[in-house]
Amino acid sequence: MTQTSTFPAPQMLSVKGGSLEVFEAGTENTGNPIVLCHGWPEHAYAWRHQIPALVAAGYHVIVPNQRGFGNSSRPTTVTDYDIAALTGDLVGLLDHFGYDDATFIGHDWGANIVWSLSLLHPSRVRKIINLALPYQARTEVPWIEFMEAIFGSDNYFVHFNRQPGVADDILDLNTEQFLRNLFRKNLPPVPPASGMMMINLAEAKAPHGDPIMSDDDLSVFVEAFEMSGFTGGINWYRNLDRNWHILANIDPIVKAPALMIYGEHDMIPQSETLPHFVPSVDVESLACGHWIQQEMPDETNALILNWLSK
């Protein structure tokens, strides 16, 4: 991976079911772990602005490329990307470093995994900080069926499930253009975004909004996805209904103290039910779009560190 800042060197760690590419910093702070979980279509490098600040604050920072991303394992079986596997990888990280629990920070899909980790493995979660995606309560019908009824068959969540392989191929063929168009202010990949919107982002030449990163930083993401392809990450979406069944008999209340950070210009709405499912939650927002920690890194760091210091 081409690194354009003081980003940690990668190491490959074995966990049950495969291996994870992990970027570690602050080893002198052993005993105070914090795990940063990226979203889709992202990379551990999305946390480049947070790592130095967290190390300076006394944290042992552990940043994996999660299953399907970067050089981490990319199984070919779709069900190997269900929520049990994704949260199991994080438990495996804690076991590798000898930690009973840790603070977890997630963004986008990474937030979904952290919320689920707190349900499936509550004893392993000390505190939660999630960005962009609030807790998603279990719906009466499986999630893809629910979203299809509301947003239609062209919603990109539905598109990924109902037309397997179509988006994968288009994004793989247009990796740089897709990421260059996507990582812009006020252009989040969220409902009611459609499968065609994702395809148009991959093929469009005209920019949409101001970029959130330099060309050098963008090249890290491009290089990673040109190597890995997009299928592994898209398979996270293809397990949403399976995850709905996995969580059926799980206590839905998050017990850990949590901080939820929204982007005020993000199309993801703020959750009115969040305090019901996450009783010990504090809520903050920043004047940015979906890519919160990359759009406003200093402000994000200040919110995180202030909350952690309480």
Side-chain angles (χ1 to χ4, degrees):
M1 183 183 79
T2 302
Q3 295 177 192
T4 59
S5 67
T6 55
F7 197 72
Q11 55 181 309
M12 296 302 299
L13 303 181
S14 295
V15 296
K16 183 179 179 180
S19 59
L20 294 177
E21 182 180 29
V22 177
F23 303 85
E24 180 188 12
T27 54
E28 67 275 17
N29 301 323
T30 297
N32 199 16
I34 194 163
V35 182
L36 313 185
C37 302
H38 65 79
W40 184 89
E42 291 187 282
H43 185 279
Y45 194 71
W47 299 106
R48 62 196 176 280
H49 302 296
Q50 284 65 53
I51 294 173
L54 290 168
V55 170
Y59 288 91
H60 178 195
V61 184
I62 302 164
V63 193
N65 266 331
Q66 296 181 85
R67 182 179 298 222
F69 292 80
N71 289 307
S72 294
S73 293
R74 298 189 297 278
T76 57
T77 303
V78 172
T79 54
D80 285 342
Y81 296 85
D82 68 19
I83 201 64
L86 296 177
T87 58
D89 287 344
L90 298 181
V91 170
L93 273 185
L94 296 186
D95 290 343
H96 172 85
F97 288 106
Y99 290 127
D100 292 332
D101 58 18
T103 295
F104 286 85
I105 305 182
H107 170 254
D108 182 80
W109 243 106
N112 186 43
I113 295 171
V114 171
W115 292 127
S116 298
L117 177 69
S118 71
L119 301 181
L120 294 170
H121 304 279
S123 66
R124 310 307 297 266
V125 179
R126 187 180 303 175
K127 295 180 181 179
I128 294 169
I129 300 173
N130 276 335
L131 286 63
L133 189 70
Y135 179 95
Q136 302 296 292
R138 194 169 175 274
T139 50
E140 292 186 3
V141 297
W143 278 307
I144 296 302
E145 181 182 342
F146 175 80
M147 297 187 75
E148 188 169 20
I150 295 177
F151 299 116
S153 61
D154 199 37
N155 170 268
Y156 77 101
F157 280 63
V158 181
H159 185 276
F160 286 164
N161 280 269
R162 303 291 190 242
Q163 301 187 48
V166 174
D168 315 42
D169 291 344
I170 292 171
L171 300 184
D172 286 349
L173 288 171
N174 299 276
T175 298
E176 181 173 358
Q177 196 63 46
F178 171 60
L179 295 175
R180 183 175 296 279
N181 284 340
L182 187 68
F183 287 129
R184 292 180 181 274
K185 296 180 180 179
N186 304 327
L187 189 65
V190 297
S194 68
M196 283 307 301
M197 176 185 171
M198 305 301 284
I199 291 171
N200 290 339
L201 282 173
E203 297 177 341
K205 301 302 180 184
H208 302 269
D210 295 329
I212 65 168
M213 66 181 81
S214 69
D215 284 349
D216 285 342
D217 286 335
L218 179 67
S219 69
V220 176
F221 293 84
V222 172
E223 181 182 327
F225 280 101
E226 286 181 341
M227 181 273 297
S228 70
F230 287 87
T231 296
I234 292 176
N235 282 343
W236 290 12
Y237 291 88
R238 293 180 177 136
N239 278 280
L240 281 171
D241 283 355
R242 181 178 173 87
N243 297 345
W244 185 88
H245 289 286
I246 290 172
L247 296 171
N249 298 313
I250 302 297
D251 181 355
I253 304 302
V254 175
K255 306 298 195 304
L259 171 65
M260 178 69 219
I261 304 176
Y262 294 103
E264 294 174 4
H265 306 304
D266 195 344
M267 289 176 63
I268 297 178
Q270 297 195 21
S271 171
E272 296 180 357
T273 63
L274 182 64
H276 174 74
F277 291 97
V278 191
S280 300
V281 67
D282 293 313
V283 177
E284 299 284 355
S285 62
L286 291 171
C288 61
H290 184 69
W291 315 106
I292 297 171
Q293 77 273 31
Q294 297 187 81
E295 290 186 51
M296 299 186 72
D298 293 339
E299 295 83 352
T300 301
N301 291 349
L303 286 180
I304 289 172
L305 294 174
N306 179 63
W307 186 80
L308 287 172
S309 69
K310 291 181 179 179

